[in-house]
Every structure is written in C-alpha cells, then in structure tokens.
Amino acid sequence: PFATKMASVNVLACFDKFKDCLSAREVGEIVCDELQTLFPGRLCTRILSLSDGGEGFLTSLRAPLSLELRTIEVTGPLGEQREAAYGYNRERGIAVVEMAAASGLEHVPVAIRNPMNTTTFGTGQLLKAAYDDGFRRIYLGVGGSATNDAGLGALHALGLRIRLQDGSTPPVFFGRHLSTLESIEVPPSGLLAGAEVDISCDVTSPFVGPRGAVSMFSGQKGATEDDKAVLETGMVRTAKLMAQVTGVDVSDLPGAGAAGGIAGGFTAMVGAKLRKGFDFVAEAHDLESAIRWADLVITGEGAYDATTEAGKVVYQIQQYGANFAKPVVIVCGHAEGFDAVPNLYSLTSMYSKEKAMNSATECLQG
C-alpha cells in the first residue's frame, strides 16, 4: 500500500540477526531485493545491520566506525583452538571486540552445550591482542555467549592469578571451577592498565540472585538444575572475592549478569563501564537520522519473544517508529503468543519451524 500511494518510498531495513540462520545484513538484503522486485523503480532502500552487543556486534560497527580486522588464534568456549577477529581504527585509537566471536554459543554443538564446561578465555585473548597492539579504548560487546564463568576465564587470559581450593591453577578457567575458587590476585602490572573498557550488553540482570546470570540464562546454555545450583554458589563466592580484592561489589549491579557474568567481572576487576549495546550501535549508525529519512521501517530478528520486549533491537526500533510516527513492520523467524503486536509477521506462521530454520532465505523470498 505504501508503494502504490506514493511516487517514491524510502524503506529502511534494520534487522538483527536470525540466530543460527542469517546475519542481519543478509536478512536486510533479501527483504529489500524482494520489495524491489514487487515494486520496481518505486522504492529507495537502505540497510542497517544492528546488534545489541551479541553476535553481529563487530559486523554492525565495521562500516560506521571504519574498522579494519585482525584475526588471531584463540581458545574457543570448549577449550578448542579457533580463529577470531577484533576490529580497530588506528587513527581513532579504538578497538572493538565481540565476545561471541571467541566464546559464542554458536561454536558449541547443541548436544554438548553446558556452561559448566565453557570458558571466556578466548575473549580475554582478543582483548589482550588489542591491548598489546596499543589500543587503550576498547569496546567489548557481550551477549550470545556459551559461558557462565563470571568472566574469570577472560581475566585469567589477561593475567589474573587464580587459585582453586586444592591449591592448583587451571591452565584455562571453566565455569565448573567457580565453585572451588579459593583466591584471585591482580598481578603487579595490573589488568589492561591504562585502558578504558566500555561493555555493550543487552540485559539488565544483576550478577547473582533470582534474576541473575545463572537463574535467567544458564538454562539456555545447557545447564541442568543441579548445574545451576553449583554455578550460583560459585558466582556468589566470586562476587565476594572480587569485592575483597577491589572493593567493588557487583552482586546487585544491573547488567552485571550479562553474558554469564563477564560484565560484572570486568566491572569489578578492570573498572569497565556498562552501557546498552543497542544505544552504542544506534549512535554509531546515526539511527535517528535514518528513521527520519524513512517512510517505512522494516525490522526483525530470529525470534520475537519475551526477551524482545525487554529491550532488544526490534523493541527499540518499535519505539523509534512510535516517537517519529513512522510505520514499523516486523519480520521474524518465530513468534508465538504475540498476536496483539501490530504488523508482526513470522516465518513459522507460514512454514514449519524446521523449514524456517533450515531454509530461511527461501522462506523470506516466498
């Protein structure tokens, strides 16, 4: 209807990723190509790849921040070796690290997912590489992680001294080590000394408690109820140890529970600052100007669910649309129980869940 009423329509496609299926950019390109086919010569389209700090964070910032990439070998979430990249802009003196690139859930086969057996060590290696390359302003996007180790795996990679109750120091710190943690010690050289670390996260959960990292998210990463009890005990212990060492108690800090507690770990041990990942990405893209330009905004993500309305990308775009009186259409992979949301379309309302997951491109083109 928009294209038939107006001579030319500005369409802004600003998607988050369809997890395990398509990147944000790929979804935007497919949707815009199909619209151009339906309304040839009637549309002016623009695509923005957005992220709230999880998967796609680095990709979403590469163009607006003019980032180059450096790829290194890191330790993956299961302790395996893999390659991951961080972005940098030498002229501006900034580096961008995406936690999911090194420690993401997507790197762990579904059948063996369990945050007891995963580590953020590789994320620490990416941060160390950026720091060793001279960057003192580092933006870390957290989210989409396979981990719940309070960030101690990453901090260990940066030099944090760790001792377990049996007197040993594991070569790589995993989630299962939290419950037997005896002590932590900052080396004389410090941890990322002189650097400013900004953490972009998509949740407001505290470090521990009924709305904390373990309670809210570890189940999605494969933790059983017994695992959750062990992890929560370890997180409470870790919070106390960090407070003893630094004087900073992150137990109840909003956002500290992001990505298995890495946000809290880095706040306490490195002095990192927390911010909403979407706000940072939106600012980099000058999203407000793009929304003002558009006659129609199309957004979406893999699943529209309760976490969407807790502040994820799609919800934020809905708010922008309301603020600037722009119509917003939502295209997602799956949405159940949200019939009251206007202009919401899901692939699973037209295709089986299996087809929507395995043939998302075809479904979007259909």
Side-chain angles (χ1 to χ4, degrees):
F2 296 98
T4 57
K5 291 180 181 179
M6 303 175 66
S8 179
V9 178
N10 293 336
V11 178
L12 175 66
C14 45
F15 284 86
D16 199 348
K17 77 279 180 187
F18 276 34
K19 193 170 185 177
D20 296 326
C21 295
L22 297 167
S23 69
R25 183 77 191 183
E26 288 170 333
V27 179
E29 288 176 348
I30 293 167
V31 169
C32 287
D33 286 348
E34 290 304 302
L35 288 174
Q36 292 286 12
T37 299
L38 289 170
F39 305 104
R42 304 293 296 276
L43 307 177
C44 180
T45 59
R46 182 178 175 188
I47 301 170
L48 297 182
S49 300
L50 300 181
S51 169
D52 50 24
E55 308 99 315
F57 181 72
L58 178 56
T59 299
S60 70
L61 292 170
R62 188 173 179 186
L65 297 183
S66 301
L67 299 176
E68 297 182 62
L69 299 182
R70 183 191 170 201
T71 301
I72 65 170
E73 189 173 89
V74 301
T75 298
L78 295 173
E80 82 285 9
Q81 295 303 295
R82 64 170 52 252
E83 289 188 340
Y86 75 86
Y88 66 92
N89 182 313
R90 184 72 65 182
E91 183 177 338
R92 296 176 62 175
I94 62 173
V96 175
V97 173
E98 177 184 315
M99 180 185 184
S103 313
L105 190 62
E106 61 187 348
H107 300 317
V108 183
V110 175
I112 58 173
R113 288 178 177 176
N114 189 326
M116 295 281 283
N117 302 322
T118 55
T119 179
T120 56
F121 196 87
T123 297
Q125 290 173 307
L126 282 175
L127 291 165
K128 185 176 187 302
Y131 183 83
D132 288 347
D133 284 345
F135 295 102
R136 295 296 181 268
R137 181 77 173 181
I138 303 174
Y139 298 98
L140 172 61
V142 304
S145 80
T147 58
N148 199 126
D149 68 357
L152 292 187
L155 290 164
H156 191 197
L158 292 169
L160 182 69
R161 296 171 179 172
I162 291 174
R163 187 164 60 91
L164 304 183
Q165 290 174 352
D166 63 3
S168 68
T169 296
V172 175
F173 189 93
F174 290 89
R176 61 181 178 269
H177 293 129
L178 285 173
S179 63
T180 59
L181 184 64
E182 177 67 23
S183 67
I184 56 176
E185 181 184 351
V186 177
S189 59
L191 300 169
L192 299 178
E196 295 182 27
V197 180
D198 280 11
I199 293 182
S200 291
C201 57
D202 63 348
V203 301
T204 57
S205 297
F207 197 70
V208 295
R211 296 193 66 255
V214 175
S215 298
M216 295 296 292
F217 304 109
S218 66
Q220 302 169 8
K221 304 172 185 183
T224 66
E225 290 305 312
D226 287 344
D227 294 334
K228 290 180 183 180
V230 173
L231 288 169
E232 181 69 7
T233 298
M235 291 286 283
V236 170
R237 181 173 183 77
T238 300
K240 291 179 180 178
L241 286 172
M242 293 192 300
Q244 290 172 9
V245 171
T246 67
V248 179
D249 187 354
V250 296
S251 299
D252 300 318
L253 178 69
I262 192 173
F266 271 72
T267 298
M269 305 305 299
V270 180
K273 305 300 182 184
L274 305 185
R275 65 184 300 178
K276 291 183 179 179
F278 177 83
D279 291 348
F280 178 50
V281 174
E283 181 182 322
H285 281 283
D286 193 8
L287 180 61
E288 181 174 322
S289 294
I291 296 286
R292 290 180 182 276
W293 166 86
D295 298 307
L296 172 65
V297 180
I298 307 178
T299 187
E301 61 182 344
Y304 191 104
D305 55 26
T307 65
T308 300
E309 297 187 347
K312 285 187 174 282
V313 167
V314 174
Y315 176 80
Q316 299 288 354
I317 296 299
Q318 289 174 294
Q319 302 311 300
Y320 269 86
N323 291 341
F324 295 101
K326 304 289 183 171
V328 176
V329 173
I330 303 166
V331 179
C332 61
H334 177 69
E336 188 174 334
F338 292 91
D339 297 337
V341 178
N343 301 322
L344 171 61
Y345 304 92
S346 70
L347 299 185
T348 54
S349 67
M350 297 173 280
Y351 305 95
S352 69
K353 189 172 183 179
E354 182 180 5
K355 184 174 178 64
M357 280 288 295
N358 298 328
S359 305
T361 297
E362 180 184 339
C363 293
L364 286 168
Q365 292 171 334

